[in-house]
Amino acid sequence: MKIVSSAPGKLILMGEHAVVYGYPCIVTAVDKRLYVEVEKVSAGEDKFITPQVKGHRFLKETVVFFKEKYKIKDSLKILTRGDFSHKVGLGSSSAVIVATFNALANLFKITLTKKELFEISHEVNLKIQKVGSGFDIAATSYGGTQYFIKGGKVIQPLNLQRLPLVIGYSGLKADTPTLIKQVNKQYQENKKKTVLIFNQIKILVDQGKDELVKSNFEKFGVLMTKNHMLLKDLKVSSLKLDKMVEVALEAGAWGAKLSGAGGGDCMVALTPENRIKEVERAIVKIGGEIIRANVNSQGVRIEI
Ligand code: MEV
């Protein structure tokens, strides 16, 4: 019997970096998914077929963890495929972990609540990455849009109707653990200033949460742009990301910011429907790439 589970990618809308220090963030699941197919095979080594080189390590660790925890002796064949590249920063590693646990639990008839799935996935992710808040694991497990506090202390669904976002990929892969360490260095060297930035980000996130559920996009956009400025102060942006944000705003976006660790990966621009084409064109003109995806998408699931 083959079981296929899929889990969505994610985008952080506000609160990156500060979330690592216990402040809240807002994260949403995208409708680009990562698929994991599992089946029992006759004796031998577990077989992994994964074109995603980075995902391979996450996949293996997840399988080892699952087999040890639930005392599974069977040999397995595991295959992955994705709607998105691991290079763009949509969270392929967290989606691999969560979809794999979900598929294996289904195959071996083990019931896992969402919270249990989140917790074991976060544990495996931390074992490999060493650092991180777990927001990406929450997004891919629960789906939708969540107000999140580190380690899953709070995972609060936000009721959104829609969110007209333009997603621009900078063309560069961000190195999340390195950027987290870089911010930590600043935190150690100048705690007062860094905490001040985190506190300002928290205020934006909390206001953002209220505006978002009321679909006050104009106000939410302004808060996003302010959040980008604070990320610039944290020195995690890049010239390319700043430029992409700038041209998106000039082309009529309500607000724009980098999304994720910074340095590379994606930026997002909250944009009135009638300005989307202009904003996309402006981003492409300066060398960005548009990623077409809807947000507020469904969390991990079994594919029938
Ligand atoms: C990375 O996409 C977002 C960070 O806040 C890291 C994390 O929360 O794990 C920088």
Short mmCIF file of all heavy atoms in Angstrom, two decimals, residues 173-237:
data_model
loop_
_atom_site.label_atom_id
_atom_site.label_comp_id
_atom_site.label_asym_id
_atom_site.label_seq_id
_atom_site.Cartn_x
_atom_site.Cartn_y
_atom_site.Cartn_z
N LYS A 173 19.67 32.49 -2.87
CA LYS A 173 19.22 31.63 -1.77
C LYS A 173 19.67 32.24 -0.45
O LYS A 173 20.83 32.60 -0.29
CB LYS A 173 19.84 30.25 -1.98
CG LYS A 173 19.62 29.27 -0.87
CD LYS A 173 18.38 28.43 -1.10
CE LYS A 173 17.89 27.76 0.17
NZ LYS A 173 17.00 28.59 0.97
N ALA A 174 18.75 32.35 0.50
CA ALA A 174 19.14 32.87 1.82
C ALA A 174 19.68 31.73 2.68
O ALA A 174 19.20 30.60 2.58
CB ALA A 174 17.92 33.47 2.51
N ASP A 175 20.66 32.05 3.49
CA ASP A 175 21.19 31.04 4.40
C ASP A 175 20.67 31.36 5.81
O ASP A 175 21.24 32.15 6.56
CB ASP A 175 22.73 31.08 4.35
CG ASP A 175 23.35 30.04 5.26
OD1 ASP A 175 22.60 29.38 6.00
OD2 ASP A 175 24.58 29.91 5.24
N THR A 176 19.53 30.75 6.13
CA THR A 176 18.81 31.11 7.37
C THR A 176 19.66 30.97 8.63
O THR A 176 19.77 31.93 9.40
CB THR A 176 17.50 30.31 7.47
OG1 THR A 176 16.74 30.59 6.29
CG2 THR A 176 16.69 30.69 8.69
N PRO A 177 20.30 29.79 8.89
CA PRO A 177 21.07 29.68 10.14
C PRO A 177 22.15 30.76 10.26
O PRO A 177 22.35 31.34 11.33
CB PRO A 177 21.69 28.28 10.06
CG PRO A 177 20.78 27.51 9.16
CD PRO A 177 20.28 28.51 8.14
N THR A 178 22.81 31.10 9.13
CA THR A 178 23.86 32.14 9.18
C THR A 178 23.26 33.50 9.55
O THR A 178 23.82 34.24 10.37
CB THR A 178 24.58 32.23 7.81
OG1 THR A 178 25.09 30.94 7.52
CG2 THR A 178 25.71 33.23 7.82
N LEU A 179 22.10 33.82 8.96
CA LEU A 179 21.47 35.11 9.27
C LEU A 179 20.97 35.16 10.72
O LEU A 179 21.05 36.20 11.38
CB LEU A 179 20.33 35.39 8.29
CG LEU A 179 20.88 35.89 6.95
CD1 LEU A 179 20.05 35.39 5.79
CD2 LEU A 179 20.97 37.41 6.94
N ILE A 180 20.48 34.04 11.21
CA ILE A 180 20.04 34.00 12.62
C ILE A 180 21.25 34.25 13.54
O ILE A 180 21.16 35.01 14.51
CB ILE A 180 19.35 32.65 12.96
CG1 ILE A 180 18.02 32.53 12.20
CG2 ILE A 180 19.11 32.51 14.46
CD1 ILE A 180 17.26 31.24 12.42
N LYS A 181 22.38 33.63 13.18
CA LYS A 181 23.60 33.82 14.00
C LYS A 181 24.09 35.26 13.93
O LYS A 181 24.53 35.83 14.92
CB LYS A 181 24.71 32.87 13.51
CG LYS A 181 24.52 31.47 14.07
CD LYS A 181 25.60 30.52 13.59
CE LYS A 181 25.06 29.09 13.61
NZ LYS A 181 25.53 28.27 12.52
N GLN A 182 23.96 35.85 12.73
CA GLN A 182 24.38 37.25 12.54
C GLN A 182 23.56 38.19 13.44
O GLN A 182 24.09 39.08 14.09
CB GLN A 182 24.16 37.60 11.07
CG GLN A 182 24.65 38.94 10.64
CD GLN A 182 24.19 39.21 9.21
OE1 GLN A 182 24.44 38.40 8.32
NE2 GLN A 182 23.50 40.31 9.00
N VAL A 183 22.24 37.94 13.48
CA VAL A 183 21.38 38.76 14.35
C VAL A 183 21.73 38.51 15.82
O VAL A 183 21.76 39.43 16.63
CB VAL A 183 19.88 38.49 14.06
CG1 VAL A 183 18.98 39.17 15.08
CG2 VAL A 183 19.52 38.95 12.66
N ASN A 184 22.04 37.26 16.13
CA ASN A 184 22.38 36.95 17.52
C ASN A 184 23.66 37.67 17.96
O ASN A 184 23.76 38.10 19.11
CB ASN A 184 22.52 35.44 17.71
CG ASN A 184 22.63 35.09 19.17
OD1 ASN A 184 23.70 34.74 19.67
ND2 ASN A 184 21.53 35.25 19.89
N LYS A 185 24.58 37.81 17.02
CA LYS A 185 25.84 38.52 17.33
C LYS A 185 25.50 39.98 17.70
O LYS A 185 25.99 40.50 18.70
CB LYS A 185 26.76 38.47 16.10
CG LYS A 185 28.17 38.86 16.39
CD LYS A 185 29.10 38.37 15.28
CE LYS A 185 30.49 38.93 15.43
NZ LYS A 185 30.67 40.27 14.87
N GLN A 186 24.62 40.58 16.89
CA GLN A 186 24.20 41.96 17.18
C GLN A 186 23.50 42.04 18.54
O GLN A 186 23.68 42.97 19.30
CB GLN A 186 23.22 42.46 16.13
CG GLN A 186 23.83 42.76 14.78
CD GLN A 186 22.74 43.02 13.76
OE1 GLN A 186 21.89 43.86 13.96
NE2 GLN A 186 22.77 42.28 12.67
N TYR A 187 22.68 41.01 18.80
CA TYR A 187 21.93 40.96 20.05
C TYR A 187 22.91 40.91 21.25
O TYR A 187 22.74 41.62 22.23
CB TYR A 187 21.02 39.73 20.02
CG TYR A 187 20.23 39.48 21.28
CD1 TYR A 187 19.10 40.22 21.57
CD2 TYR A 187 20.62 38.48 22.17
CE1 TYR A 187 18.37 39.98 22.72
CE2 TYR A 187 19.90 38.23 23.32
CZ TYR A 187 18.77 38.99 23.59
OH TYR A 187 18.06 38.75 24.73
N GLN A 188 23.96 40.08 21.10
CA GLN A 188 24.94 39.96 22.19
C GLN A 188 25.73 41.26 22.35
O GLN A 188 25.98 41.70 23.46
CB GLN A 188 25.93 38.81 21.90
CG GLN A 188 25.30 37.44 21.75
CD GLN A 188 24.51 36.99 22.96
OE1 GLN A 188 24.71 37.49 24.08
NE2 GLN A 188 23.58 36.06 22.77
N GLU A 189 26.06 41.88 21.20
CA GLU A 189 26.93 43.06 21.24
C GLU A 189 26.18 44.34 21.63
O GLU A 189 26.74 45.23 22.23
CB GLU A 189 27.61 43.26 19.88
CG GLU A 189 28.73 42.26 19.68
CD GLU A 189 29.27 42.26 18.25
OE1 GLU A 189 28.81 43.07 17.42
OE2 GLU A 189 30.13 41.42 17.98
N ASN A 190 24.91 44.41 21.22
CA ASN A 190 24.13 45.60 21.51
C ASN A 190 22.67 45.23 21.82
O ASN A 190 21.75 45.44 21.02
CB ASN A 190 24.20 46.57 20.33
CG ASN A 190 23.79 47.97 20.71
OD1 ASN A 190 23.14 48.16 21.76
ND2 ASN A 190 24.12 48.94 19.89
N LYS A 191 22.53 44.65 23.00
CA LYS A 191 21.24 44.10 23.40
C LYS A 191 20.14 45.16 23.40
O LYS A 191 19.04 44.94 22.90
CB LYS A 191 21.37 43.47 24.79
CG LYS A 191 20.43 42.30 25.00
CD LYS A 191 20.74 41.54 26.26
CE LYS A 191 21.53 40.28 25.95
NZ LYS A 191 21.89 39.50 27.10
N LYS A 192 20.48 46.34 23.93
CA LYS A 192 19.49 47.39 24.10
C LYS A 192 18.87 47.78 22.76
O LYS A 192 17.64 47.83 22.60
CB LYS A 192 20.15 48.61 24.76
CG LYS A 192 19.20 49.39 25.61
CD LYS A 192 19.93 50.40 26.45
CE LYS A 192 18.95 51.54 26.76
NZ LYS A 192 19.61 52.75 27.14
N LYS A 193 19.74 48.02 21.78
CA LYS A 193 19.28 48.45 20.46
C LYS A 193 18.48 47.34 19.77
O LYS A 193 17.42 47.58 19.17
CB LYS A 193 20.49 48.85 19.60
CG LYS A 193 20.07 49.43 18.28
CD LYS A 193 21.23 49.88 17.44
CE LYS A 193 20.75 50.14 16.02
NZ LYS A 193 21.74 49.83 15.03
N THR A 194 18.99 46.11 19.88
CA THR A 194 18.33 44.99 19.19
C THR A 194 16.95 44.72 19.81
O THR A 194 15.98 44.50 19.08
CB THR A 194 19.23 43.73 19.25
OG1 THR A 194 20.56 44.12 18.94
CG2 THR A 194 18.79 42.68 18.25
N VAL A 195 16.89 44.76 21.12
CA VAL A 195 15.60 44.52 21.79
C VAL A 195 14.60 45.63 21.43
O VAL A 195 13.40 45.36 21.25
CB VAL A 195 15.79 44.38 23.33
CG1 VAL A 195 14.47 44.44 24.08
CG2 VAL A 195 16.52 43.09 23.64
N LEU A 196 15.11 46.83 21.29
CA LEU A 196 14.25 47.95 20.89
C LEU A 196 13.62 47.67 19.51
O LEU A 196 12.41 47.86 19.31
CB LEU A 196 15.09 49.24 20.84
CG LEU A 196 14.30 50.54 20.81
CD1 LEU A 196 13.64 50.78 22.17
CD2 LEU A 196 15.21 51.71 20.46
N ILE A 197 14.44 47.17 18.60
CA ILE A 197 13.92 46.82 17.26
C ILE A 197 12.89 45.70 17.38
O ILE A 197 11.80 45.76 16.79
CB ILE A 197 15.08 46.40 16.30
CG1 ILE A 197 16.03 47.58 16.08
CG2 ILE A 197 14.53 45.88 14.98
CD1 ILE A 197 17.26 47.28 15.23
N PHE A 198 13.21 44.66 18.16
CA PHE A 198 12.27 43.54 18.33
C PHE A 198 10.93 44.05 18.90
O PHE A 198 9.86 43.61 18.48
CB PHE A 198 12.84 42.48 19.27
CG PHE A 198 13.99 41.69 18.69
CD1 PHE A 198 14.89 41.03 19.53
CD2 PHE A 198 14.17 41.60 17.32
CE1 PHE A 198 15.94 40.29 19.00
CE2 PHE A 198 15.23 40.86 16.78
CZ PHE A 198 16.11 40.21 17.63
N ASN A 199 11.01 44.95 19.88
CA ASN A 199 9.78 45.48 20.48
C ASN A 199 8.95 46.26 19.47
O ASN A 199 7.72 46.16 19.46
CB ASN A 199 10.10 46.37 21.68
CG ASN A 199 10.36 45.54 22.93
OD1 ASN A 199 9.71 44.52 23.15
ND2 ASN A 199 11.32 45.94 23.73
N GLN A 200 9.64 47.01 18.62
CA GLN A 200 8.92 47.77 17.58
C GLN A 200 8.27 46.79 16.58
O GLN A 200 7.14 47.00 16.13
CB GLN A 200 9.88 48.72 16.86
CG GLN A 200 10.25 49.91 17.73
CD GLN A 200 11.34 50.73 17.08
OE1 GLN A 200 12.46 50.28 16.87
NE2 GLN A 200 11.02 51.96 16.76
N ILE A 201 9.00 45.72 16.27
CA ILE A 201 8.43 44.71 15.35
C ILE A 201 7.19 44.09 15.99
O ILE A 201 6.16 43.89 15.34
CB ILE A 201 9.49 43.62 14.99
CG1 ILE A 201 10.59 44.24 14.12
CG2 ILE A 201 8.84 42.43 14.29
CD1 ILE A 201 11.74 43.31 13.74
N LYS A 202 7.27 43.80 17.28
CA LYS A 202 6.13 43.18 17.97
C LYS A 202 4.88 44.06 17.88
O LYS A 202 3.76 43.57 17.62
CB LYS A 202 6.47 42.93 19.45
CG LYS A 202 5.30 42.28 20.20
CD LYS A 202 5.51 42.27 21.69
CE LYS A 202 4.41 41.54 22.42
NZ LYS A 202 3.07 42.05 22.22
N ILE A 203 5.08 45.37 18.06
CA ILE A 203 3.94 46.30 17.97
C ILE A 203 3.31 46.22 16.58
O ILE A 203 2.08 46.13 16.44
CB ILE A 203 4.39 47.74 18.32
CG1 ILE A 203 4.80 47.81 19.79
CG2 ILE A 203 3.28 48.76 18.02
CD1 ILE A 203 5.49 49.10 20.21
N LEU A 204 4.16 46.17 15.55
CA LEU A 204 3.65 46.09 14.17
C LEU A 204 2.89 44.78 13.95
O LEU A 204 1.83 44.76 13.31
CB LEU A 204 4.80 46.18 13.17
CG LEU A 204 5.61 47.49 13.16
CD1 LEU A 204 6.74 47.40 12.15
CD2 LEU A 204 4.72 48.69 12.84
N VAL A 205 3.45 43.69 14.46
CA VAL A 205 2.81 42.37 14.27
C VAL A 205 1.44 42.35 14.95
O VAL A 205 0.45 41.89 14.36
CB VAL A 205 3.72 41.24 14.82
CG1 VAL A 205 2.98 39.90 14.83
CG2 VAL A 205 5.00 41.12 14.01
N ASP A 206 1.37 42.88 16.16
CA ASP A 206 0.08 42.87 16.87
C ASP A 206 -0.95 43.75 16.19
O ASP A 206 -2.13 43.39 16.08
CB ASP A 206 0.29 43.27 18.34
CG ASP A 206 0.92 42.12 19.14
OD1 ASP A 206 0.79 40.96 18.69
OD2 ASP A 206 1.54 42.38 20.17
N GLN A 207 -0.50 44.92 15.70
CA GLN A 207 -1.43 45.78 14.95
C GLN A 207 -1.82 45.08 13.65
O GLN A 207 -2.98 45.09 13.24
CB GLN A 207 -0.76 47.12 14.60
CG GLN A 207 -0.62 48.05 15.79
CD GLN A 207 0.18 49.31 15.43
OE1 GLN A 207 0.76 49.42 14.35
NE2 GLN A 207 0.23 50.25 16.36
N GLY A 208 -0.83 44.46 13.01
CA GLY A 208 -1.03 43.79 11.73
C GLY A 208 -2.08 42.69 11.83
O GLY A 208 -2.94 42.54 10.96
N LYS A 209 -2.00 41.95 12.91
CA LYS A 209 -2.96 40.86 13.15
C LYS A 209 -4.40 41.40 13.15
O LYS A 209 -5.29 40.83 12.51
CB LYS A 209 -2.61 40.24 14.51
CG LYS A 209 -3.55 39.21 15.02
CD LYS A 209 -3.11 38.88 16.42
CE LYS A 209 -4.15 38.12 17.17
NZ LYS A 209 -4.01 38.26 18.61
N ASP A 210 -4.60 42.53 13.82
CA ASP A 210 -5.95 43.13 13.90
C ASP A 210 -6.40 43.64 12.53
O ASP A 210 -7.56 43.47 12.16
CB ASP A 210 -5.97 44.29 14.90
CG ASP A 210 -5.74 43.81 16.32
OD1 ASP A 210 -5.91 42.59 16.55
OD2 ASP A 210 -5.36 44.63 17.18
N GLU A 211 -5.49 44.27 11.79
CA GLU A 211 -5.86 44.83 10.48
C GLU A 211 -6.14 43.71 9.47
O GLU A 211 -7.05 43.82 8.65
CB GLU A 211 -4.75 45.75 9.95
CG GLU A 211 -4.42 46.94 10.82
CD GLU A 211 -5.60 47.84 11.13
OE1 GLU A 211 -6.67 47.70 10.50
OE2 GLU A 211 -5.47 48.69 12.05
N LEU A 212 -5.35 42.66 9.58
CA LEU A 212 -5.46 41.56 8.62
C LEU A 212 -6.84 40.88 8.69
O LEU A 212 -7.47 40.64 7.67
CB LEU A 212 -4.35 40.54 8.91
CG LEU A 212 -3.90 39.64 7.79
CD1 LEU A 212 -3.51 40.43 6.56
CD2 LEU A 212 -2.71 38.79 8.25
N VAL A 213 -7.28 40.60 9.91
CA VAL A 213 -8.57 39.89 10.03
C VAL A 213 -9.74 40.80 9.62
O VAL A 213 -10.82 40.31 9.30
CB VAL A 213 -8.80 39.30 11.45
CG1 VAL A 213 -7.84 38.15 11.72
CG2 VAL A 213 -8.69 40.35 12.54
N LYS A 214 -9.50 42.13 9.62
CA LYS A 214 -10.56 43.04 9.15
C LYS A 214 -10.38 43.34 7.66
O LYS A 214 -11.09 44.19 7.10
CB LYS A 214 -10.49 44.36 9.95
CG LYS A 214 -10.98 44.20 11.38
CD LYS A 214 -11.07 45.55 12.07
CE LYS A 214 -9.89 45.74 13.00
NZ LYS A 214 -9.67 47.03 13.55
N SER A 215 -9.42 42.66 7.01
CA SER A 215 -9.08 42.89 5.59
C SER A 215 -8.76 44.36 5.31
O SER A 215 -9.06 44.87 4.24
CB SER A 215 -10.21 42.42 4.65
OG SER A 215 -10.34 41.04 4.73
N ASN A 216 -8.17 45.04 6.29
CA ASN A 216 -7.70 46.42 6.10
C ASN A 216 -6.33 46.38 5.44
O ASN A 216 -5.29 46.59 6.08
CB ASN A 216 -7.59 47.14 7.46
CG ASN A 216 -8.92 47.71 7.89
OD1 ASN A 216 -9.82 47.85 7.06
ND2 ASN A 216 -9.05 48.00 9.17
N PHE A 217 -6.32 46.07 4.15
CA PHE A 217 -5.04 45.83 3.47
C PHE A 217 -4.16 47.07 3.40
O PHE A 217 -2.94 46.97 3.46
CB PHE A 217 -5.29 45.30 2.06
CG PHE A 217 -5.97 43.97 2.04
CD1 PHE A 217 -6.90 43.65 1.06
CD2 PHE A 217 -5.69 43.02 3.01
CE1 PHE A 217 -7.53 42.42 1.04
CE2 PHE A 217 -6.31 41.78 3.00
CZ PHE A 217 -7.23 41.49 2.02
N GLU A 218 -4.80 48.22 3.23
CA GLU A 218 -4.02 49.44 3.13
C GLU A 218 -3.18 49.63 4.41
O GLU A 218 -1.99 49.91 4.36
CB GLU A 218 -4.96 50.61 2.91
CG GLU A 218 -4.30 51.71 2.14
CD GLU A 218 -5.29 52.75 1.65
OE1 GLU A 218 -6.48 52.42 1.45
OE2 GLU A 218 -4.85 53.90 1.49
N LYS A 219 -3.87 49.46 5.55
CA LYS A 219 -3.18 49.64 6.84
C LYS A 219 -2.15 48.53 7.05
O LYS A 219 -1.05 48.76 7.54
CB LYS A 219 -4.20 49.66 7.97
CG LYS A 219 -5.00 50.94 7.99
CD LYS A 219 -5.76 51.09 9.28
CE LYS A 219 -6.54 52.39 9.29
NZ LYS A 219 -7.80 52.29 10.01
N PHE A 220 -2.53 47.30 6.69
CA PHE A 220 -1.59 46.18 6.87
C PHE A 220 -0.34 46.41 6.02
O PHE A 220 0.78 46.14 6.47
CB PHE A 220 -2.26 44.85 6.51
CG PHE A 220 -1.41 43.65 6.87
CD1 PHE A 220 -1.24 43.27 8.18
CD2 PHE A 220 -0.75 42.93 5.87
CE1 PHE A 220 -0.43 42.17 8.52
CE2 PHE A 220 0.05 41.83 6.21
CZ PHE A 220 0.20 41.46 7.52
N GLY A 221 -0.55 46.93 4.80
CA GLY A 221 0.57 47.21 3.91
C GLY A 221 1.56 48.19 4.52
O GLY A 221 2.77 47.98 4.49
N VAL A 222 1.01 49.26 5.12
CA VAL A 222 1.89 50.27 5.75
C VAL A 222 2.73 49.61 6.87
O VAL A 222 3.93 49.86 7.00
CB VAL A 222 1.03 51.43 6.31
CG1 VAL A 222 1.87 52.38 7.16
CG2 VAL A 222 0.34 52.18 5.17
N LEU A 223 2.09 48.72 7.62
CA LEU A 223 2.80 48.04 8.71
C LEU A 223 3.89 47.12 8.16
O LEU A 223 4.98 47.02 8.73
CB LEU A 223 1.81 47.24 9.58
CG LEU A 223 0.71 48.07 10.25
CD1 LEU A 223 -0.36 47.17 10.86
CD2 LEU A 223 1.32 48.97 11.35
N MET A 224 3.59 46.48 7.02
CA MET A 224 4.59 45.60 6.38
C MET A 224 5.83 46.41 5.99
O MET A 224 6.97 45.98 6.24
CB MET A 224 4.01 44.97 5.10
CG MET A 224 3.09 43.80 5.33
SD MET A 224 2.27 43.34 3.78
CE MET A 224 3.59 42.60 2.88
N THR A 225 5.60 47.56 5.38
CA THR A 225 6.74 48.38 4.94
C THR A 225 7.56 48.84 6.14
O THR A 225 8.79 48.83 6.12
CB THR A 225 6.25 49.59 4.11
OG1 THR A 225 5.37 49.11 3.09
CG2 THR A 225 7.40 50.34 3.47
N LYS A 226 6.86 49.21 7.23
CA LYS A 226 7.59 49.62 8.44
C LYS A 226 8.42 48.44 8.98
O LYS A 226 9.54 48.61 9.45
CB LYS A 226 6.59 50.06 9.52
CG LYS A 226 6.02 51.44 9.26
CD LYS A 226 5.19 51.89 10.46
CE LYS A 226 4.60 53.28 10.20
NZ LYS A 226 3.51 53.60 11.12
N ASN A 227 7.84 47.24 8.89
CA ASN A 227 8.56 46.04 9.33
C ASN A 227 9.83 45.85 8.48
O ASN A 227 10.90 45.51 8.98
CB ASN A 227 7.64 44.82 9.21
CG ASN A 227 8.17 43.57 9.90
OD1 ASN A 227 7.44 42.60 10.11
ND2 ASN A 227 9.43 43.56 10.26
N HIS A 228 9.71 46.13 7.18
CA HIS A 228 10.89 46.00 6.30
C HIS A 228 12.00 46.96 6.76
O HIS A 228 13.18 46.59 6.80
CB HIS A 228 10.53 46.26 4.83
CG HIS A 228 11.72 46.11 3.93
ND1 HIS A 228 12.22 44.88 3.57
CD2 HIS A 228 12.56 47.04 3.37
CE1 HIS A 228 13.30 45.05 2.82
NE2 HIS A 228 13.52 46.34 2.68
N MET A 229 11.60 48.18 7.10
CA MET A 229 12.60 49.18 7.54
C MET A 229 13.32 48.69 8.80
O MET A 229 14.53 48.88 8.95
CB MET A 229 11.92 50.53 7.82
CG MET A 229 11.29 51.16 6.59
SD MET A 229 12.48 51.25 5.24
CE MET A 229 11.44 51.49 3.85
N LEU A 230 12.57 48.06 9.69
CA LEU A 230 13.19 47.56 10.92
C LEU A 230 14.13 46.38 10.61
O LEU A 230 15.17 46.21 11.26
CB LEU A 230 12.12 47.15 11.94
CG LEU A 230 11.33 48.34 12.52
CD1 LEU A 230 10.10 47.86 13.28
CD2 LEU A 230 12.23 49.17 13.45
N LEU A 231 13.77 45.58 9.61
CA LEU A 231 14.66 44.48 9.20
C LEU A 231 15.93 45.03 8.56
O LEU A 231 17.01 44.45 8.71
CB LEU A 231 13.92 43.53 8.24
CG LEU A 231 12.82 42.70 8.93
CD1 LEU A 231 11.89 42.06 7.90
CD2 LEU A 231 13.42 41.63 9.83
N LYS A 232 15.78 46.17 7.89
CA LYS A 232 16.97 46.86 7.36
C LYS A 232 17.87 47.29 8.52
O LYS A 232 19.08 47.13 8.47
CB LYS A 232 16.54 48.11 6.58
CG LYS A 232 16.43 47.88 5.09
CD LYS A 232 16.02 49.15 4.37
CE LYS A 232 17.22 49.97 3.97
NZ LYS A 232 16.88 51.01 2.98
N ASP A 233 17.24 47.84 9.57
CA ASP A 233 18.01 48.24 10.76
C ASP A 233 18.73 47.04 11.37
O ASP A 233 19.80 47.18 11.96
CB ASP A 233 17.10 48.86 11.83
CG ASP A 233 16.56 50.22 11.40
OD1 ASP A 233 17.06 50.76 10.40
OD2 ASP A 233 15.62 50.72 12.07
N LEU A 234 18.11 45.87 11.24
CA LEU A 234 18.73 44.64 11.78
C LEU A 234 19.83 44.13 10.85
O LEU A 234 20.48 43.12 11.15
CB LEU A 234 17.68 43.54 11.92
CG LEU A 234 16.93 43.35 13.24
CD1 LEU A 234 16.06 42.10 13.15
CD2 LEU A 234 17.87 43.24 14.43
N LYS A 235 19.96 44.77 9.71
CA LYS A 235 20.99 44.46 8.69
C LYS A 235 20.81 43.08 8.07
O LYS A 235 21.78 42.39 7.76
CB LYS A 235 22.39 44.59 9.28
CG LYS A 235 22.66 45.99 9.82
CD LYS A 235 24.13 46.14 10.19
CE LYS A 235 24.44 47.49 10.77
NZ LYS A 235 23.71 47.81 11.99
N VAL A 236 19.56 42.67 7.88
CA VAL A 236 19.34 41.37 7.23
C VAL A 236 18.79 41.52 5.81
O VAL A 236 18.58 40.53 5.13
CB VAL A 236 18.39 40.44 8.06
CG1 VAL A 236 19.05 40.05 9.36
CG2 VAL A 236 17.04 41.09 8.29
N SER A 237 18.56 42.77 5.38
CA SER A 237 18.06 42.94 4.02
C SER A 237 19.26 42.92 3.05
O SER A 237 20.39 42.66 3.45
CB SER A 237 17.27 44.24 3.89
OG SER A 237 16.58 44.24 2.65
#
